[in-house]
Structure formats: structure tokens, C-alpha cells
Amino acid sequence: MRINTPSLFASTVLLAHHVAAGTASPNNPPSRNWVQRKWNGSNYACKCYAGDACWPRAPEWQALNATVGGGLRVVTPPAVSCYNTFQGPLGNISAYDAAACQAVTTGFPSEQFQVDLPAAGLWTYFTNDTCRPTTNPTDTCTLGYYPVLVITAKTTDHIQAGIKFANKNNLRLIVRNTGHDFLGRSVGWGALVINTHNFQDITVTNSWQGAGGYTGSAVTVGAGVQAFKALKTLHELSPPRVMVTGECATVGVAGGLPQGGGHGPLTNLYGFLADTALEFKVITADGVLRTANAVTNPDLFWALRGGGPASFAVIVSASYKTFVDLPSTGVILNITPAQNTNATLFWQGVTAFHGYSNHFVGKGLYVYYELVPGLVLHVQPILGIGKNATELQAILKPLFDDLNAMGLAYDTSSKSYSTFYELYNDMFETETAGQSALTGGWALAKTDVANNNAGIVSAFQNALNHGAILVGHMWNAGEGLPSREWNNSAVNPRFRSVSDKLITVLPLAGNAPLADKAAAQQTLTGVIDGGLRAAAPNGAAYVNEADPFQPNWQTAFWGTNYPALLRLRKRWDPTGVFYAVSTPGTEDWEQIEWGTRLCKKL
């Protein structure tokens, strides 16, 4: 089902008449239309937004629309059809459609439903949680912090036109391929979006002929290709092959995932997705289509491999190594109130379980688990790639012996598959969209687990006591990757010595009062994640799944690689065409006026 969005031409009058007074900074070149603002006693130079004098006029938008093949649209929230009127920044639109409202209400929790929309964010906190599905069409529906306009790009020319237009007019630009993002980087108040989801080509080869000396099998995927499609294509080869992807099947594999690193079930064997990259086709901030590999633009190639999403270029396509798919076994472990209501005993069990994280990754396992308030530990799966049930159970025996010795009841099951792909489709649980929460996280170093596992578990308890949910991923990005290759990508070197990467989730409505949001952010940063950082000081933060407002984010996300990334950002995007919160070079940028206007502090 397609949610109708108003065409550009239906909104031409709105665009032409919604221009208010603003002031461009006289200290910048004429092509850079900066808007001067004062906020909390400080002066700022801001991007240009609807209502500013620098906002492009209707003929300019019409020309852009023609250049991008009629693919420019006004953005409306996904559930706009459930409301009588959409009160947008470009004017009001009659919106109610009962059938469409029912469809969006049904589809709203589906990740794929949200992915297929042109400018939605899968999690709603950073949209201001506006205009959710409702049974009361007289409720208020506004744009909130969704973008204003979106280009549905179908060719590289369309992407280039969007970048050049945003650069010329100093618009906030967002690049979206799936909207699969916890930190609000796929949405943004007043922005222009370039949607790359239509780039769906997949090409496989048995013998890579590109730069870098690698001659094995490879796959090249377009910017919009998701993990489930790439894995299905590789599975249909003879023999079946596999690539590193995220744990979630709906994640795109050629956008923010490799630019953040890209961890998943195969990371313990082959490193990050970024570590397996062979080449990118990208469009840089100047609108030029370039190749980046080990020989051509090698500095850009390094930065694109884990140096920060939406920081250096728009990825059009990416080429990666592939690997033979192997027989695999998965184990499920549950400790819930159905088995145990003794809190002391439950946390003893969690301590035992987590104390084996170094052991698990050292034996090549990947472990995905959730800790939920109410004495719930859900582990699904404990994954052994290339291992049969007997081999996996032998690795897990010390844990089960400990649980049995302490008298802690649990449920467990095991299943073997002829390939990892079949296990992936059967044992990894489907995630849902449409939820609102603040997200943080921290990766735990092996040394900290070995020396302070009890303190780490106390930090887990602290997090749950403050309303958080913990999602753990046990892997080590250096376990199966030769150390000589560790520095070939820009990911934080500390990830080569971790054994558990945690996501902390603090549920909160995106339209909560500002005071409540500020208090929740302080709790997440200082108390929940602060407890984890204190218990595991040798760890790191993963930029795609962590608190962007944590202290010293440059070091937390990139460690010793940050100075080089900062220099490269200034080289490849000197005027700040691209932006994602807390990425290299964004120290001087701030979203002022209650998280709306993107500005540079003067």
C-alpha cells in the first residue's frame, strides 16, 4: 500500500507564498545562504528553511523537480491519512482516507512498511512523535521533525542534482536508504531528503577483478539493497555463499551500515562489514561521482569504512567479499519468572552467563540476548557457525553446569541447519518499528569482563532499575580477522578487543514535555550508560547504536582514528553539506530552538 504524498506541483502555490523575512550572513559567499539566529545568548549561522528569505522560490523547486524526473515530493507523516487536516509548514492539506488509515495502522509496526515509505524514520522519537495512527481524525497532525521535501532518486544524476541544490541553497540535507536508524539521522526538521532505496541492483562474481589484490568471490549491491535480499541472492548460488550483514534483515547493506562499521552474526569470523569492503561508488559533497578503493581515493575509502554515516559521501553502490555458507547450529536460552522468581538467584545466573562472554567469542560464537525488567533473560540465538549441535553444546557446557549447580531453572533448545542463511531466517526474531525511545549503548572490553564482570552486571541492574532494556551482541571484531587488516578500516581499534556490544533502550514518547526529555537524556547519558562506562572503561561506543550526546563522543566512537577522520572530513566536505549528529567534523554544529534549526555557532 502506498501512502499518497502531495506532488510538488500541487504545492507550488504553498511554496511560492510561504516565504518570510530572514537574513543571510554577509560574511559568507553569495552561494551560501546562511541565516543568522540568536539562541540562549549565542549567535548562530543556520541552514536555510521554509519561511526564510533564502528559501528557494517555486520556479527553482520546479526546475529541480524536472531534473530529478518528477521525483520531488512534499513529505507527510506516515499516518497523515488518519487525520482530517495535515498542518504542514508549506500549508494545510485535507488528508483523511479511511482505507489508507486502516492500512497504515496495520502496517505501522512493520519495519518493511516503514522502509518502503519515502521519508519515514523506523523509530519515532526524533520525529517528535507527531501524527501517529489514531481513531480520532479531528486530532492535530503536524510535520513535527520529519523533513519537508524528498527526492525519490532513481539515477545517480538525481542524487547529484539533490546534493548540488542543497549545497547551492544551504539546505539541510538527509540521505536515506531505509530509515533504519535509532538516532534520528534519517529525519530532520525542515530538511530535504535524498532517498536512495530504488538502487536495488545486485551483481555477484566468483573472481573480483578490482583494486586491492583480492581475487575471490564478491557481491556488488546498490544503495537500497537490504540484508534479506542480498543474503537470498547469495544463498541461491551453487555453492551457497554469505556476506557480513546486520543482525536485522531489513537493514540496508550499502549506506549507514558500513559507514558505521556494520556488525552482525558473522563479525566474529570476518570482522565488520566495513572490513570486507572492496570498493564504493559514491557521490561526494561537490556532486561528483567517484570510485573509492584501495588505489583510487584510498583516503576516502578508508573513511567510508566505519568513519561515520552521512559524513563523507553518498554511497551509490558497494562491493564486498563473500564467503562460503557453512552448516550452523543455534541454541535458545530463557530465564523468566516462569522458571524463577528469586531475584538474587536470577542475577547470579546473569552473572554466570555474562562471565562466559570472552569464552563464547573466543570459541567463535555469536550471542544475541535481551535483559528486560521483571527478571527476564532471553537469549536467541547462541550461534555456532560451522558447528554441529555436539560441538556447540560442548562449548556451552560450563555455563549450563554453573546454572545447574546454583539450582537456577531455565528453558533451552537447540536446532541445526545446513546453512547459516537458513538459521538466520528461522532463529533471528523479527523486530518492530514505530516505537519511541532514547537509545544508548557501550561495548565491553574483554579485559573489563575478565576483571570486573560483577561490576558490569551491577551496571546492568542499575540500567534496568532506571527503566532501560538491554540488548546484547557478543562478538569480537578482531577474533577471525587477521591483525594486519585491522587498520584498513576507520572503525575504533578498541572493537578488536571487545566481547559484548550493548544497546540501552529507554522508552519515552517523542512528544513528551521538553523537561521530561531533558531528564531522560540525562538519565541515559549519566546514569545508565555512565554506569556501563564506569564498569568497563576500556570499552567503546558504536556510532550506529549509541548515545550521540555522551561525553567525549569523538574518542568513544573512533578512538585514535578520530584526528585523521576530522582532517578527511574537512577535505571532502569543507562546507558541511552532509550532517549526522556526533560524526567527524560536527563539533561546531548544533540543532538550536528546541532541536529544530541546524546551525553553526559563531
Side-chain angles (χ1 to χ4, degrees), residues 294-324:
V295 175
T296 303
N297 298 311
D299 61 339
L300 180 60
F301 182 53
W302 180 79
L304 289 167
R305 301 172 72 183
S311 298
F312 300 95
V314 177
I315 295 178
V316 176
S317 68
S319 299
Y320 302 108
K321 298 176 184 178
T322 68
F323 310 92
V324 174

Side-chain angles (χ1 to χ4, degrees), residues 70-125:
L72 183 64
R73 292 291 184 270
V74 175
V75 174
T76 55
V80 66
S81 57
C82 294
Y83 296 80
N84 288 336
T85 304
F86 167 61
Q87 301 173 9
L90 307 180
N92 294 343
I93 299 171
S94 297
Y96 186 72
D97 182 323
C101 176
Q102 180 58 51
V104 75
T105 301
T106 301
F108 200 73
S110 164
E111 288 190 343
Q112 195 59 46
F113 177 88
Q114 301 268 11
V115 165
D116 290 338
L117 298 175
L122 271 64
W123 296 277
T124 61
Y125 181 82

Side-chain angles (χ1 to χ4, degrees), residues 9 79 146 193 220 222 246 256-257 259 300 304 359 373 395 407 420 453 467 475 511 561 574 586:
F9 298 106
Y146 283 102
V193 175
T220 299
L257 186 66
Q259 292 176 86
L300 180 60
L304 289 167
H359 169 71
I395 297 171
F420 161 75
N453 187 55
W475 48 254
N511 58 2
N561 286 338
T586 61

Side-chain angles (χ1 to χ4, degrees), residues 315-551:
I315 295 178
V316 176
S317 68
S319 299
Y320 302 108
K321 298 176 184 178
T322 68
F323 310 92
V324 174
D325 202 353
L326 299 173
S328 300
T329 300
V331 167
I332 298 172
L333 169 65
N334 283 306
I335 304 172
T336 72
Q339 293 88 38
N340 169 74
T341 58
N342 184 317
T344 300
L345 189 58
F346 172 81
W347 285 108
Q348 288 175 353
V350 172
T351 302
F353 163 73
H354 195 267
Y356 283 103
S357 56
N358 291 350
H359 169 71
F360 293 155
V361 299
K363 294 294 185 180
L365 305 188
Y366 171 89
V367 182
Y368 185 92
Y369 70 93
E370 297 170 349
L371 264 173
V372 182
L375 305 183
V376 174
L377 172 64
H378 174 55
V379 188
Q380 185 172 342
I382 302 172
L383 170 61
I385 299 176
K387 292 179 171 57
N388 59 36
T390 300
E391 293 168 327
L392 182 54
Q393 288 295 338
I395 297 171
L396 299 179
K397 185 178 184 299
L399 168 63
F400 290 127
D401 286 346
D402 286 353
L403 297 181
N404 293 334
M406 67 179 66
L408 177 60
Y410 56 88
D411 281 342
T412 186
S413 61
S414 175
K415 190 173 181 180
S416 295
Y417 303 80
S418 58
T419 61
F420 161 75
Y421 176 78
E422 292 164 288
L423 183 150
Y424 183 77
N425 285 330
D426 189 41
M427 293 197 77
F428 282 85
E429 297 174 293
T430 301
E431 298 179 3
T432 58
Q435 302 174 45
S436 181
L438 280 171
T439 301
W442 190 248
L444 311 174
K446 286 184 175 182
T447 55
D448 292 323
V449 173
N451 298 326
N452 192 33
N453 187 55
I456 289 170
V457 174
S458 292
F460 291 177
Q461 292 177 275
N462 172 67
L464 269 61
N465 288 340
H466 284 87
I469 297 167
L470 299 183
V471 181
H473 313 69
M474 293 182 185
W475 48 254
N476 175 273
E479 191 68 35
L481 186 72
S483 58
R484 64 180 180 275
E485 299 182 26
W486 289 359
N487 294 326
N488 290 348
S489 65
V491 296
N492 192 331
R494 284 194 172 191
F495 283 121
R496 309 303 180 182
S497 59
V498 304
S499 61
D500 188 6
K501 193 210 74 66
L502 288 156
I503 302 174
T504 54
V505 181
L506 185 61
L508 180 69
N511 58 2
L514 291 175
D516 291 355
K517 286 186 171 183
Q521 184 65 61
Q522 186 175 21
T523 297
L524 178 71
T525 301
V527 179
I528 295 171
D529 283 3
L532 292 170
R533 292 193 298 268
N538 296 296
Y542 179 71
V543 67
N544 285 352
E545 298 166 334
D547 176 14
F549 306 110
Q550 66 187 292

